[in-house]
Amino acid sequence: MGSRKFPLPVRAVVLDLDGTLLDTAPDIADAAQRMLRDLGMAPADPAKIRSFIGNGIANLVKRALTGEMHGQPDAALFARALPLFQQHYAAVLTRATRPYPGALESVQALREAGFALACVTNKAEVFTLPLLAAMKLKDSFQLILSGDLIQIGLEQEIREVSSWLAELAPPQQVFFCSRQS
């Protein structure tokens, strides 16, 4: 971006993580397969597991257990499966995850051009922060807001993002996210 003037009056860019900056699907799918194995279930088609990604870990686990996009597994099975998935995902978090081509360079160019940057994701903070650090992106953002902070209603974090965005007039923000966000 360097010396070019951005054509819109934008001061802040808010980026999603999964499917926007990082291709996390291989590690998410790997963790789901490991979870199924630990539960004594047959492995799922990798393409099917990938199609289940979106709308958070709980939904992914339900989909992987039932093989259906809107399936509802037995509550006891789900209660066993969710922590297994989380354990496996933590173990493989950065094995195959990679930034999308041009993502790191784009974030750097936005920073150098003076844009305020935020990462807002539905991914839990326990996974978000290590992923951003491993991909050398953590220090690029003035604000990082993870889904679990929003879901459990942490008022301070919500006020923080609201305050950060309120400093900018509405047309001065641009949001980039994957199709499933």
Side-chain angles (χ1 to χ4, degrees), residues 34-49:
R34 290 167 184 248
M35 171 200 72
L36 291 171
R37 181 197 64 218
D38 285 359
L39 293 169
M41 298 177 72
D45 174 40
K48 189 159 194 166
I49 292 289

Side-chain angles (χ1 to χ4, degrees), residues 146-167:
S146 299
D148 53 333
L149 300 179
I150 296 168
Q151 291 172 3
I152 61 174
L154 293 177
E155 296 297 322
Q156 179 59 37
E157 283 77 4
I158 293 170
R159 276 195 296 272
E160 185 178 337
V161 73
S162 297
S163 173
W164 187 78
L165 291 173
E167 292 176 12

Side-chain angles (χ1 to χ4, degrees), residues 36-155:
L36 291 171
R37 181 197 64 218
D38 285 359
L39 293 169
M41 298 177 72
D45 174 40
K48 189 159 194 166
I49 292 289
R50 284 175 179 257
S51 76
F52 291 158
I53 297 172
N55 306 108
I57 287 174
N59 284 316
L60 170 73
V61 169
K62 289 176 185 178
R63 294 167 183 161
L65 291 173
T66 63
E68 299 173 8
M69 197 60 146
H70 302 290
Q72 290 297 320
D74 173 75
L77 178 62
F78 177 73
R80 285 181 37 224
L82 185 60
L84 284 173
F85 175 85
Q86 292 169 325
Q87 172 189 345
H88 287 302
Y89 189 44
V92 300
L93 188 64
T94 59
R95 283 198 181 152
T97 290
R98 298 291 177 263
Y100 283 107
L104 298 178
E105 298 82 1
S106 296
V107 168
Q108 183 63 31
L110 289 167
R111 282 188 67 202
E112 289 173 2
F115 290 100
L117 298 178
C119 179
V120 178
T121 177
N122 71 340
K123 186 179 286 297
E125 186 175 58
V126 68
F127 304 122
T128 300
L129 297 180
L131 265 176
L132 287 171
M135 300 298 143
K136 309 246 186 292
L137 283 167
K138 188 175 175 193
D139 293 336
S140 297
F141 297 101
Q142 288 86 356
L143 177 68
I144 299 169
L145 187 62
S146 299
D148 53 333
L149 300 179
I150 296 168
Q151 291 172 3
I152 61 174
L154 293 177
E155 296 297 322

